[in-house]
Amino acid sequence: NHPQIESARQAIAAAGALTASASMKEWQSASDALRRAGDLLDEVPPPSADLNLALGKSVQVSSSHPTTSAEVLTKGDRISPAFWSSGDDNAKVDHEEIVTIDLGAEKQIGSVYLFPRRAGSVHGFPLDFDIKVSTDGQMWKTVRVVKDAALPTGDMPRRYAFDATLARHIRIHATRLRSLPDDLGFYRLQLGGIEVFDPQQ
C-alpha cells in the first residue's frame, strides 16, 4: 500500500531480469537501483503510535547533553521538536554512543524506527550502527548492522527490520557518527525518538 514498497519492488524485479550477458553499465545501474530500493524500504511510515512497544519505557544512554533528556526517546511524541543529544565529552572526535531501552518484559519484536532530530536538522542521525537485543541485559545478539545510513527525509523516521526475535532489551550501538555542520563540526548522536514494533507491524 506504500509507494516506497512498490518502487522498491520494481527495482528488485528489474535487477532480477538481468542476464549474464548484461553490460557492466547495466549491472552497475541495477546495483544503484537496489541500493535506492533499500533506502525506500527504510522510509515506510511507522504503524500506529499506540502499538509502539517502547512507549514510556525506561531508557539509558552512554552520554547526554545537559540541555536534552533521554526520556524524549520513548515518549512517543511524533510532533514535538524536542530531541535527545549525546554529550560533550568526546564530541570533537568521532566516537561510539549507546542507547538502551528496557521493554519491561520479553516481547516478540521485528522492527525499530529511528526518528531524526527535529528543530530544522537531521544531521545527528548515525552513519554506522548495530541494533542488538537481549533477554537479560547481559548477553546481546546483533539483529541488524547498518552501514552508511542515509539521512532521513524531513521528519520521517527510518525503519530497520530484522528477523522476529524475543527480547526485553533493545540497544542502538552507534559506531560512526556524523559531523554536525551546524555545531562546530562536532560529532553527536541526536534522535527525536525510538519506536519498537512486533513482527506483524
Side-chain angles (χ1 to χ4, degrees), residues 42 127-132 141-149 159-163 171-175:
D42 286 343
L127 268 168
D128 294 352
F129 60 94
D130 300 340
I131 299 176
K132 303 175 183 290
K141 176 177 72 172
T142 299
V143 293
R144 181 78 187 259
V145 175
V146 180
K147 298 291 185 184
D148 298 314
R159 171 181 181 265
Y160 300 98
F162 42 84
D163 291 340
R171 173 169 287 176
I172 309 301
H173 181 187
T175 55

Side-chain angles (χ1 to χ4, degrees), residues 163-181:
D163 291 340
T165 188
L166 187 67
R168 171 173 173 167
H169 306 270
I170 298 97
R171 173 169 287 176
I172 309 301
H173 181 187
T175 55
R176 187 161 65 107
L177 306 179
R178 282 185 165 86
S179 173
L180 275 65

Side-chain angles (χ1 to χ4, degrees), residues 10 18 86 95-96 102-103 106 108 165-166 171 180 182:
Q10 291 174 5
L18 287 179
S86 59
H95 62 283
E96 298 183 3
D102 183 350
L103 298 179
E106 292 183 3
Q108 280 286 339
T165 188
L166 187 67
R171 173 169 287 176
L180 275 65
D182 55 354

Side-chain angles (χ1 to χ4, degrees), residues 13-33:
L18 287 179
T19 65
S21 61
S23 68
M24 182 62 71
K25 184 176 181 179
E26 288 173 319
W27 281 110
Q28 183 61 53
S29 178
S31 176
D32 292 344

